[in-house]
Amino acid sequence: MSRSVPAEHAGQHGFTVHTRGRGFTEITNQVADVVAASGVQLGIAHVFTAHTSCSLLLSENADPTVREDLERWLARAVPDGDAIFQHDAEGPDDMPAHVRAVLTGVSLVVPVHGGKPQLGTWQGLFLWEHRRDPHQRRVTVTVLGH
């Protein structure tokens, strides 16, 4: 049986992700760098992006066709220019990008052990840009533990 241990340390750092437009940008290494710099050996890392038209995803990192399939599936579920949407102030991908972010989420929590994010063999952390044009996205990582 494990025992509860209070968090003795908290650290927070942000970084900017430059997207090329709709699609995935892997951020696993940047998050791992923030975790390592925090000094936390055992705890959690909370990863958050303060945007309404991109999201964060923990997904397959070895085979890019997984992410391509996810993109195609979401494009079918939430198509650009759908007549159901009223909000199109920034173009036909505006409201669909908001819906996609709501469906996929803007934060993740990852366990930390040995000063590293504990990810599965084929898992990676990704920022998923839902707009067609390139953007600069801010990601904040908060690490809690001891």
Side-chain angles (χ1 to χ4, degrees):
M1 178 174 219
S2 61
R3 63 183 178 94
S4 297
V5 178
E8 297 173 354
H9 184 77
Q12 187 174 76
H13 183 74
F15 57 89
T16 301
V17 177
H18 302 275
T19 72
R20 294 182 302 260
R22 186 169 285 164
F24 296 87
T25 303
E26 187 163 7
I27 61 170
T28 306
N29 290 338
Q30 293 99 315
V31 172
D33 289 347
V34 172
V35 169
S38 75
V40 170
Q41 294 298 304
L42 180 67
I44 60 168
H46 178 262
V47 187
F48 173 76
T49 186
H51 300 281
T52 61
S53 55
C54 69
S55 56
L56 297 172
L57 189 73
L58 193 149
S59 185
E60 162 88 38
N61 68 351
D63 184 350
T65 63
V66 171
R67 294 182 302 280
E68 292 166 8
D69 287 345
L70 286 169
E71 185 63 57
R72 279 192 298 277
W73 180 87
L74 199 55
R76 181 186 294 170
V78 189
D80 290 344
D82 193 319
I84 195 171
F85 300 128
Q86 292 179 352
H87 178 75
D88 63 359
E90 295 178 29
D93 67 335
D94 193 1
M95 188 61 205
H98 296 307
V99 173
R100 292 170 183 212
V102 168
L103 292 175
T104 54
V106 297
S107 68
L108 300 168
V109 176
V110 179
V112 172
H113 183 80
K116 299 177 184 176
Q118 291 301 286
L119 299 173
T121 302
W122 309 113
Q123 289 181 321
L125 302 170
F126 296 87
L127 184 132
W128 192 355
E129 177 63 63
H130 299 302
R131 298 301 306 269
R132 289 182 186 162
D133 292 333
H135 284 81
Q136 291 186 36
R137 304 301 193 174
R138 188 79 179 147
V139 175
T140 302
V141 182
T142 305
V143 187
L144 303 170
H146 69 276

